[in-house]
Every structure is written in structure tokens, then in C-alpha cells.
Amino acid sequence: MALAQRSTLKNAAAQRTRSAAAPRVAFSSPVVAQLRQAAQTVRAAQQPAAQRNVKAQAAAVEATQAKTEVYNKSQFELYTLTTWLLQEQRKGKIDSELATVISSISLACKQIAAAVGRSGISSLTGVAGTGENVQGEEQKKLDVISNDIFCNCLRMSGRTGVIASEEEATPVAVEETDSGNYIVVFDPLDGSSNIDAGISVGSIFGIYEPSISVGSIFGIYEPSETCMVDGDLDQSLEACITNVCQPGKNLLVAGYCLYSSCHTMVLTIGDGVYGFTLDPYVGEFVLTHNRIQVPEVGKIYSFNEGNYAMWDEPTKKYMDSLKDPAKWGGKPYSARYIGSLVGDFHRTLLYGGIYGYPGDAKNKNGKLRLLYECAPMSFIAEQAGGMGSTGKERVLDIQPTEVHQRVPLMIGSKKEVEYYESFYKN
Ligand code: FDP
């Protein structure tokens, strides 16, 4: 990577760290009143604007007509993910190696979208018969296929040094790496328990720079000074795993692809959040969501409430408060839960609200995995002006101690996540 580009990425990482250090909003003040007031301000700002803007609207129509003329001249112009990557490269935001890795991930997502779309007719539903994965969950056929697709695309990019997947017990070193050595963490098919019913699922990924020098030997890590522990391969592998476990604030790129009524890839390279929808006729992801901003407040909550009895008191009180009409001017929050993190998060990102998977009496750290679920999603949320928290701390600050580590996750609109946190502060 060119020095200038490296320093741009480092500056971006430093900026993220600085924003982490910034003092959190003190939440002892009446938070409910704040939330109400914020919602009123948004409504008030919208109304007069609509009235005031008659002239502006006419001007906008004229401008649109002028623009339409221009577009009529090149109506077959598509602003694709590839175009976008090239532009970001020209601006020095990413280098060509990172662009190659993102491209290879987009190819994997297209292949998975095709497999998901045809699963019912190609006998791709049901369990794989490979037994349980390292999480103790039974692997579905599509889990295995999606993992293969991701691994193959990343290997063939020639720019990936290490991959860590939900479906692999340990990180795998890639032999065919020409350069780059990027570390890619991913969940190839999240929410796969929904797959046989044709309900939304998704892939989640994050890309890091290596924190140590890694290569491959017999498909595992090349013992380096950092990794070598008295020549014992198991221990050295363990040391390497610890080395690739980086906090989310080091992420260079995070994204997900939602496979649903349309297939949408949402991406951040540390400078805003962009959404690309797959045009099935041309086989390209096309820019459809420019600089996504999650609304600051939103009255939708997305939790598996079946776990209510096992939650701790602050989470129970929080949930009770959302459902109390008296607190919210007669209309309580609405519940929406697909049970597919990518789908639930995507809706939260666009409509506002909160997605939560808290710890409970049975699983004190909840269910979701830090490295390839909570950290990438939190990076996206923060880049869109939202928050990702365990309820007690910023997700991006957590130093992972193991690859498949779980943490509680509260994510979405800033004020909504802060409201949840306030129950642990009082
Ligand atoms: P799944 O087990 O189907 O892969 O991360 C796993 C996940 O789905 C998330 O996508 C989803 O939000 C969550 O688990 C659902 O868990 P519950 O069934 O416990 O609600």
C-alpha cells in the first residue's frame, strides 16, 4: 500500500479512536423528554419546510428537468460498485489492493444471492449433514456453500492473508496471497435458520490490516517471532489467533449484503455508509443509497422478547418502558423482529430505532459474535451517525480475546441506544 494511502487509513482509524474518547452524553437528565422533544423538533422542522418550500420546489422541478435532460443523453449510465471503488481509489481513500478484496467479496455476495434465490428449486434447503459448527449450531447446506463461496473468492483475489469465518473453527491462512495480506472476518450466511422459509438472510464482513506478519505454512500460520512459542504449532496458532483478534476500531472496511426482495450491499470504508442494490439484469451492484444516515430517534424496537424472563432487571425495565403508552404520548414503540441480524439491522439503519440482543441468565454475553457480527455492524452504525454498544461500553473498543467471542449488542439510532444505556447508569 502506498505510504500516503496508508496514512489516510491510519488517520481515519485515529479519528475513530478520538471519537471513542469523546465524552458520552450524560444521560441522567430526563431522557424520555429529550426523545420526545427530538421527535417534535423533527416534525416541526418538516412541516413549515413543506409550506415554505413552494418556490424552492418549483426550482427543484426545473433543476430536475435540466438534470433529466443530461441523463437522457446517457440513460444507460450506471453508477456501480466498481465505479464507486475506482473513484474512492482516485481520491486516495482506499488502495487498489483493498478495492480488489472488496470486489471479490461483492462477487461472493452475487453468487450467494443466486444460490439463496434458487435454494428451493435446487435442493439447497435443509441441513448439510456435516454436524454442528464450532458454535454448536447445525450447519445448513447453504451455510456450507456460502462459506465455500466466500473462501474461494477471497483466495482468488490474491490479496487476502487470513480469513476468519463463523463456519471455521480457527482462522485460515491463504496460500495464494500475492500481496496485501488483508485479514477478512465474515459470517457467510447470517440468520440461516430463516432460510428454509425464504425469509431475509445476509452476509456480514469486516476487513483489517494485519497487526503481525502472517504467511502460510501447511495452510496454517508461518511461525513468526510473535507467533512462535517454543516451536509448538498449536500454541503458535493460538498466539496468531490472538494476534488477528483486533478491536473493531481498527476496521478498515465493514459491510453486509442483505438477500431479500432485493439484494443490497451496504458498505463503509470509514467515510460514510453507502448502499448498492444488485441489478439482476446487468449483474452489478448499483449505487442506490448515498451516504446513509440513521435517524437520531426511531420508535421501533427489535429484540427477541421470548427471552424476557431471563433478562436482568435494567433490560426488563427498559423494555417495559418502551411498551408504556403513558410515557410516549399514548403510542408505545412498535416491535419488529425477523430474527435475522442483517434484515433487522438494515431496517433499523433506514427507519431508525434499536436492534438488541442482550445477555441473559443462560448466556451472559448474548448470542451474537463480536468479530464478524457486532464489530462490523457497529462500525457501519457509527459511520451512519448511530451507535453500537453492549449497553455498558462501545462495541468498537472491545479487544477480542477469542475468534468466536460473543457480546451483547444494542445498535441503531444514537438516542435510542443511549436510552438503553441510561438504565445501566441510574
Ligand atoms: P441465526 O442463528 O439464524 O444465524 O447470529 C445469529 C442469528 O441468526 C442472527 O442473525 C439473529 O438476529 C439471531 O441469531 C436470532 O437469534 P434468536 O433466534 O435467539 O432470536
Side-chain angles (χ1 to χ4, degrees):
M1 194 191 301
L3 266 180
Q5 286 160 339
R6 221 172 251 280
S7 81
T8 311
L9 292 171
K10 289 220 171 90
N11 285 343
Q15 255 177 23
R16 291 201 291 278
T17 315
R18 274 199 295 279
S19 70
R24 287 240 172 104
V25 175
F27 231 98
S28 48
S29 56
V31 187
V32 174
Q34 272 187 26
L35 285 167
R36 265 204 209 136
Q37 204 190 336
Q40 269 169 11
T41 315
V42 172
R43 276 198 298 274
Q46 277 166 352
Q47 256 195 355
Q51 289 155 7
R52 252 189 281 124
N53 276 349
V54 180
K55 272 194 184 162
Q57 274 172 12
V61 170
E62 263 175 43
T64 318
Q65 280 164 351
K67 214 166 148 198
T68 309
E69 265 173 42
V70 175
Y71 270 92
N72 279 345
K73 285 185 194 146
S74 54
Q75 58 181 303
F76 300 113
E77 184 186 315
L78 279 184
Y79 197 87
T80 65
L81 175 63
T82 312
T83 321
W84 184 81
L85 287 172
L86 286 170
Q87 279 198 4
E88 296 306 300
Q89 217 179 300
R90 271 205 296 274
K91 289 185 216 159
K93 300 260 173 70
I94 49 169
D95 65 11
S96 61
E97 290 173 10
L98 200 47
T100 305
V101 179
I102 298 171
S103 251
S104 67
I105 290 173
S106 80
L107 176 61
C109 292
K110 284 183 208 172
Q111 275 187 269
I112 295 171
V116 167
R118 295 184 54 77
S119 58
I121 32 185
S122 309
S123 306
L124 296 181
T125 52
V127 295
T130 47
E132 292 178 348
N133 63 11
V134 65
Q135 326 286 327
E137 298 160 350
E138 191 147 35
Q139 284 186 307
K140 295 279 181 79
K141 282 184 198 163
L142 270 170
D143 285 326
V144 177
I145 292 167
S146 305
N147 191 51
D148 273 4
I149 292 175
F150 244 89
C151 293
N152 288 338
C153 287
L154 287 168
R155 278 198 183 101
M156 287 164 78
S157 77
R159 299 291 186 277
T160 310
V162 182
I163 51 185
S165 162
E166 190 206 9
E167 303 301 333
E168 308 277 352
T170 58
V172 181
V174 179
E175 285 157 44
E176 297 92 341
T177 294
D178 300 329
S179 56
N181 274 327
Y182 286 108
I183 294 162
V184 181
V185 293
F186 58 91
D187 182 349
L189 200 62
D190 187 77
S192 54
S193 56
N194 276 319
I195 196 77
D196 293 354
I199 293 167
S200 309
V201 286
S203 305
I204 310 173
F205 58 89
I207 308 176
Y208 292 93
E209 260 188 313
S211 61
I212 51 162
S213 101
V214 285
S216 57
I217 180 167
F218 314 124
I220 320 175
Y221 294 96
E222 183 174 42
S224 71
E225 254 180 58
T226 342
C227 295
M228 185 95 83
V229 184
D230 297 327
D232 180 325
L233 209 57
D234 284 346
Q235 283 189 46
S236 71
L237 174 62
E238 222 170 274
C240 281
I241 290 170
T242 310
N243 252 319
V244 298
C245 282
Q246 299 188 45
K249 65 187 173 200
N250 289 1
L251 276 164
L252 299 176
V253 177
Y256 61 81
C257 187
L258 172 70
Y259 311 113
S260 188
S261 52
C262 57
H263 310 311
T264 308
M265 177 179 268
V266 171
L267 190 67
T268 181
I269 55 168
D271 180 26
V273 178
Y274 296 83
F276 303 84
T277 303
L278 184 62
D279 183 334
Y281 296 104
V282 291
E284 286 283 353
F285 281 104
V286 177
L287 182 67
T288 46
H289 299 69
N290 202 21
R291 287 207 160 260
I292 300 173
Q293 281 287 309
V294 59
E296 207 180 21
V297 292
K299 289 184 77 181
I300 299 176
Y301 72 88
S302 191
F303 285 61
N304 182 347
E305 268 190 276
N307 294 329
Y308 182 93
M310 296 189 291
W311 289 342
D312 63 14
E313 279 314 303
T315 298
K316 281 183 182 169
K317 279 193 181 144
Y318 163 78
M319 186 51 65
D320 294 342
S321 90
L322 297 188
K323 298 197 282 191
D324 179 1
K327 255 192 149 60
W328 310 105
K331 190 170 181 337
Y333 278 58
S334 295
R336 298 280 185 278
Y337 190 72
I338 303 169
S340 197
L341 174 61
V342 177
D344 284 315
F345 178 74
H346 189 64
R347 183 198 54 246
T348 307
L349 190 67
L350 298 184
Y351 298 177
I354 184 168
Y355 170 90
Y357 210 112
D360 58 46
K362 226 167 101 202
N363 304 300
K364 79 176 174 43
N365 290 316
K367 180 179 183 189
L368 305 179
R369 273 57 56 108
L370 171 60
L371 210 57
Y372 43 81
E373 291 181 313
C374 304
M377 292 308 212
S378 296
F379 186 24
I380 295 169
E382 286 197 8
Q383 283 295 316
M387 269 178 85
S389 163
T390 62
K392 293 175 186 156
E393 65 178 315
R394 182 189 183 222
V395 168
L396 294 186
D397 283 337
I398 302 172
Q399 171 65 56
T401 51
E402 49 184 282
V403 179
H404 301 290
Q405 185 175 339
R406 297 171 199 260
V407 291
L409 178 68
M410 302 299 138
I411 195 164
S413 296
K414 189 165 179 289
K415 295 269 184 217
E416 303 300 338
V417 177
E418 285 174 345
Y419 182 51
Y420 179 90
E421 284 184 339
S422 72
F423 284 76
Y424 284 87
K425 286 180 184 154
N426 298 331

